[in-house]
Amino acid sequence: MSVDIKLEKFSGPLDLLLHLIKSQEMDIYDIRIGEITEQYLAIIDRMKQLDLDVAGEFLLMAAQLIHIKSRMLLPVSEEVSDEEGEDPRAELIKRLLEYQRYKQAGSMFDQMPQLDRDIFLPHDSNSEVFAGTMTHNVDMTISVYQLANAFHMLMNSVKTEVFHEVVRESLSVADYIEKISRRVTEHTRVAFREFFADHCNRAELVVTFLAMLELIRMQAIRIEQVASFSDIWLSRTASTEHIQRLHIDEEVLDYD
Amino acid sequence: MTELKALVEAFLFVSGSPLSIDKLAELAEADKVVIRSVISDLMEQYNASGRGVHLQEVAGGFQFRTNPDLAPGLRRLQKERPAKISPAALETLAIIAYRQPVTRAEIEYLRGVDSGGVMKTLLERNLLRILGKKDVPGRPLLYGTSRFFLEVFGLKDLNDLPTLKEFAALDPDLAEALPLEPNDQ
Amino acid sequence: MTELKALVEAFLFVSGSPLSIDKLAELAEADKVVIRSVISDLMEQYNASGRGVHLQEVAGGFQFRTNPDLAPGLRRLQKERPAKISPAALETLAIIAYRQPVTRAEIEYLRGVDSGGVMKTLLERNLLRILGKKDVPGRPLLYGTSRFFLEVFGLKDLNDLPTLKEFAALDPDLAEALPLEPNDQ
């Protein structure tokens, strides 16, 4: 028989078995189990020699074949036939028939004219993200999968961001002190919120806040709020020159 | 009547997605029976040989689609080749189509191989949908085919799937196998 | 010739934007003179009175457009066109579904962008409901999903939402993702 078999061409062990049965022109209802087992094992073996990753499922099937083969060799005694009078191959045959049916249904699907492969719709109506699920009965139908997937992707991306923050721990409080003092110098009064507006990442928020605290401690800025929950304002208390002369030393700040 | 026919034609042209008789009746403010006869009129007109565009019944509605015979020429207009559905994915899709609602474990028993990756691809391509959870320990997810699946394969509904009998005719081996009918309750 | 006519008809149908004679000749691999006669043939056929779709010369090319006489009727479809959900809305809805009860600030922290507009749309479409106010300074509103949300997604209740574990099982790459359980306390 042909030695030139590649496992990856088969969608699974059942597919490989069907191929062997067909190429040996065997009757699927009367598989010559010894012959098939031998060939199957030879193929699996060769794959191993080639150091290919033989999927667990192929090995599992090999074990099942050996088991069936050994049961076929046992003389059919009365007691045994009472319990499992079935042909030891019966379960395998049933699975093979069932599998063959879906494999054929699959190739039939392949031959049916398919949207975007054989049949086309006007471009603007099939290019949108969820066009495929559009219906006119319900306002909108997206699948639960899309919903869960969206959340999942988001959580993953948030997580990666956190991870990156830790890695590039190069955000320096001193830099932020400088940034804030520059803005306070230019504008005299700046809303607290404004400093956080374009920072969506947590590390930057923290560093900005630390820098503010530092400036307050140095009495360079003042924080005020007119009423509870109204906007908080930062204003400059020291003179421009004073702020510019602030000598900011990372080591003195002692944030690591 | 002529104006109604024109209106239905225009609705179908503009809509893009399949429109049901009910929806067309509502939109055109006409009786369903009349709409039905207008549709069959239009189908006769469009589905004559030699037309570039056909009117097809699909996923519970009607839709203008290109004539499948023109596929080779039309592919020139497509910028990207659509990702081909692999044999493994088609096989999995077939199991789900005929066996729905079905769990991943059932699919894997039938295929004899891990099917997580293939199912994820099918879900991403919107060919599957999750029908709920099975009432057994562990509450595994139940899968079925989506409405988009019907659109892609040009099926009216799940009963439009070829039945086992047609299969049996192709391959006598299968005649004795388990009955296989689309399971759509 | 008949097949060429069908092909040109199909190209015009699929393209959406106007196609010039040159472009059509290139696509159909035919002579421009022949294309021109095919076009005038099609125009005669389509632009007869009582048709819903016309073939029109526009912006240096040819394009199928609805018959302007039908505009009043057609507007009914435009209004009813199912609004498509944007990726931003989907993401926001996903956060609310899995994290409810949740405040706008929490959503915006997770998404990293202002989400007011998207949330307004979701509220208008009846997919969200306000669950109350959070007992923290400022008493921000707490959002959750509505009963209609369950209907749209075919869920019995919130426990029916798939957990991340179930998706992680489909794809080993996802196995390390954060544990995700519907948060329904």
Side-chain angles (χ1 to χ4, degrees):
Chain A
M1 60 159 269
S2 143
V3 180
D4 190 25
I5 279 182
K6 291 197 172 79
L7 275 196
E8 61 266 28
K9 272 175 46 191
F10 296 93
S11 79
L14 291 170
D15 200 15
L16 174 58
L17 269 183
L18 265 187
H19 172 80
L20 291 176
I21 289 164
K22 227 171 261 173
S23 61
Q24 299 302 297
E25 294 179 345
M26 278 186 206
D27 178 358
I28 205 164
Y29 290 98
D30 190 19
I31 303 166
R32 297 192 296 277
I33 203 83
E35 218 173 295
I36 285 290
T37 306
E38 214 169 282
Q39 286 172 3
Y40 186 93
L41 292 176
I43 289 163
I44 299 291
D45 223 40
R46 195 166 310 114
M47 293 304 128
K48 276 198 210 150
Q49 279 167 18
L50 292 172
D51 205 23
L52 287 178
D53 193 15
V54 179
E57 291 100 354
F58 283 94
L59 295 176
L60 184 67
M61 180 55 77
Q64 282 167 356
L65 286 172
I66 292 167
H67 179 68
I68 295 170
K69 192 178 138 190
S70 67
R71 279 181 58 202
M72 296 285 285
L73 292 174
L74 288 175
V76 186
S77 71
E78 299 273 319
E79 301 108 81
V80 174
S81 59
D82 277 349
E83 285 166 26
E84 31 185 326
E86 256 190 297
D87 187 329
R89 299 170 298 181
E91 163 85 3
L92 182 64
I93 291 170
K94 210 176 100 193
R95 282 184 75 187
L96 281 169
L97 286 173
E98 190 75 355
Y99 172 74
Q100 179 173 254
R101 180 181 309 161
Y102 294 119
K103 185 177 154 71
Q104 289 187 351
S107 57
M108 178 197 66
F109 279 174
D110 197 33
Q111 281 155 24
M112 283 156 77
Q114 274 172 45
L115 203 61
D116 282 336
R117 191 190 69 177
D118 313 296
I119 288 187
F120 303 93
L121 297 174
H123 274 318
D124 58 351
S125 70
N126 65 359
S127 61
E128 276 160 86
V129 192
F130 296 113
T133 47
M134 268 173 55
T135 87
H136 287 260
N137 313 327
V138 190
D139 249 340
M140 169 197 73
T141 346
I142 43 177
S143 72
V144 176
Y145 173 76
Q146 286 168 325
L147 185 77
N149 204 40
F151 187 59
H152 176 218
M153 307 276 275
L154 185 79
M155 294 317 279
N156 271 3
S157 72
V158 169
K159 195 181 150 213
T160 340
E161 224 174 72
V162 173
F163 175 71
H164 284 317
E165 281 164 21
V166 178
V167 174
R168 61 169 166 91
E169 196 37 287
S170 56
L171 293 175
S172 116
V173 178
D175 288 350
Y176 277 77
I177 289 180
E178 237 185 284
K179 249 191 228 172
I180 296 168
S181 19
R182 216 180 309 125
R183 279 179 75 176
V184 177
T185 313
E186 278 162 19
H187 302 287
T188 319
R189 232 164 86 99
V190 186
F192 179 80
R193 257 198 335 197
E194 266 192 66
F195 285 101
F196 297 97
D198 30 43
H199 305 306
C200 53
N201 124 10
R202 196 193 253 154
E204 283 173 281
L205 293 178
V206 172
V207 175
T208 307
F209 195 63
L210 287 175
M212 279 180 191
L213 293 178
E214 207 55 47
L215 281 165
I216 295 166
R217 195 178 58 81
M218 293 188 270
Q219 301 189 328
I221 59 167
R222 187 176 54 216
I223 285 192
E224 48 190 351
Q225 187 180 31
V226 179
S228 313
F229 307 124
S230 72
D231 269 353
I232 297 169
W233 293 89
L234 264 68
S235 50
R236 165 163 61 100
T237 51
S239 68
T240 314
E241 293 76 22
H242 177 67
I243 287 182
Q244 280 164 350
R245 271 188 281 110
L246 278 177
H247 182 67
I248 300 149
D249 191 330
E250 285 276 27
E251 279 171 43
V252 174
L253 291 172
D254 195 21
Y255 293 116
D256 270 321
Chain B
M1 170 72 180
T2 318
E3 188 179 332
L4 182 63
K5 189 172 150 189
L7 195 59
V8 169
E9 186 183 21
F11 276 136
L12 289 167
F13 175 78
V14 173
S15 156
S17 50
L19 290 177
S20 66
I21 297 274
D22 285 11
K23 190 71 198 171
L24 282 166
E26 184 195 321
L27 286 167
E29 294 173 352
D31 194 81
K32 282 181 218 171
V33 180
V34 183
I35 295 290
R36 215 177 281 276
S37 92
V38 165
I39 286 280
S40 70
D41 232 39
L42 281 168
M43 282 181 105
E44 211 171 288
Q45 186 180 330
Y46 272 91
N47 303 355
S49 66
R51 288 292 305 253
V53 179
H54 284 180
L55 182 55
Q56 219 192 318
E57 183 170 0
V58 61
F62 295 84
Q63 184 179 41
F64 282 127
R65 308 182 142 208
T66 59
N67 177 344
D69 298 344
L70 300 171
L74 286 175
R75 290 199 191 104
R76 286 199 287 271
L77 191 63
Q78 300 307 107
K79 277 165 214 105
E80 309 157 32
R81 294 213 134 231
K84 209 172 161 307
I85 307 179
S86 71
L90 285 167
E91 180 181 299
T92 308
L93 192 58
I95 293 174
I96 297 170
Y98 284 98
R99 284 276 173 132
Q100 59 191 306
V102 65
T103 66
R104 176 177 168 191
E106 286 156 7
I107 295 162
E108 292 182 341
Y109 174 73
L110 288 170
R111 294 191 60 220
V113 69
D114 180 279
S115 305
V118 183
M119 288 171 70
K120 187 164 173 282
T121 311
L122 292 169
L123 276 162
E124 277 166 1
R125 293 184 71 163
N126 212 1
L127 292 165
L128 302 186
R129 87 199 152 97
I130 292 161
L131 300 174
K133 292 183 184 183
K134 192 165 179 168
D135 226 355
V136 294
R139 307 248 301 133
L141 294 176
L142 285 166
Y143 296 89
T145 50
S146 66
R147 182 192 156 94
F148 187 57
F149 163 80
L150 297 176
E151 290 187 31
V152 167
F153 290 94
L155 300 166
K156 281 183 231 174
D157 51 42
L158 285 177
N159 293 317
D160 211 19
L161 282 168
T163 62
L164 177 64
K165 274 192 203 113
E166 293 169 60
F167 263 89
L170 293 173
D171 186 346
D173 269 0
L174 295 177
E176 290 166 50
L178 297 171
L180 170 65
E181 297 289 339
N183 182 346
D184 56 349
Q185 68 275 56
Chain C
M1 173 64 181
T2 319
E3 193 184 326
L4 182 63
K5 189 171 150 192
L7 196 59
V8 169
E9 186 183 21
F11 276 135
L12 289 166
F13 171 75
V14 174
S15 155
S17 48
L19 290 175
S20 65
I21 297 276
D22 285 11
K23 185 72 192 172
L24 281 167
E26 183 197 320
L27 286 168
E29 293 172 354
D31 195 81
K32 283 180 217 170
V33 181
V34 184
I35 295 290
R36 213 176 283 276
S37 93
V38 165
I39 287 279
S40 70
D41 231 39
L42 282 168
M43 282 180 103
E44 209 169 290
Q45 187 181 330
Y46 273 90
N47 301 358
S49 67
R51 289 292 304 254
V53 179
H54 283 180
L55 182 54
Q56 235 187 303
E57 184 166 3
V58 59
F62 295 85
Q63 185 180 36
F64 282 125
R65 302 183 148 209
T66 56
N67 178 345
D69 298 346
L70 301 171
L74 284 175
R75 281 194 202 104
R76 284 199 289 273
L77 180 67
Q78 295 301 344
K79 249 186 281 159
E80 300 215 20
R81 272 200 124 165
K84 284 177 193 112
I85 187 159
S86 68
L90 182 64
E91 192 176 284
T92 307
L93 189 58
I95 292 173
I96 296 170
Y98 280 97
R99 283 282 168 116
Q100 57 192 304
V102 65
T103 66
R104 178 174 161 186
E106 285 156 4
I107 295 162
E108 292 181 343
Y109 172 73
L110 285 171
R111 294 193 59 222
V113 293
D114 180 280
S115 306
V118 184
M119 288 173 70
K120 188 165 166 276
T121 313
L122 292 170
L123 274 166
E124 278 166 4
R125 293 170 85 173
N126 213 6
L127 291 163
L128 301 187
R129 80 200 157 98
I130 290 160
L131 302 172
K133 290 186 179 178
K134 191 166 181 170
D135 220 359
V136 295
R139 308 254 302 137
L141 292 176
L142 284 166
Y143 295 89
T145 50
S146 65
R147 179 192 268 285
F148 181 64
F149 165 85
L150 295 176
E151 272 172 44
V152 167
F153 286 93
L155 301 167
K156 280 203 288 279
D157 53 46
L158 287 176
N159 288 319
D160 237 16
L161 276 171
T163 63
L164 244 225
K165 241 200 286 165
E166 287 158 334
F167 287 108
L170 287 179
D171 181 354
D173 285 355
L174 304 182
E176 287 162 48
L178 300 172
L180 168 66
E181 300 286 340
N183 181 346
D184 55 351
Q185 67 276 53

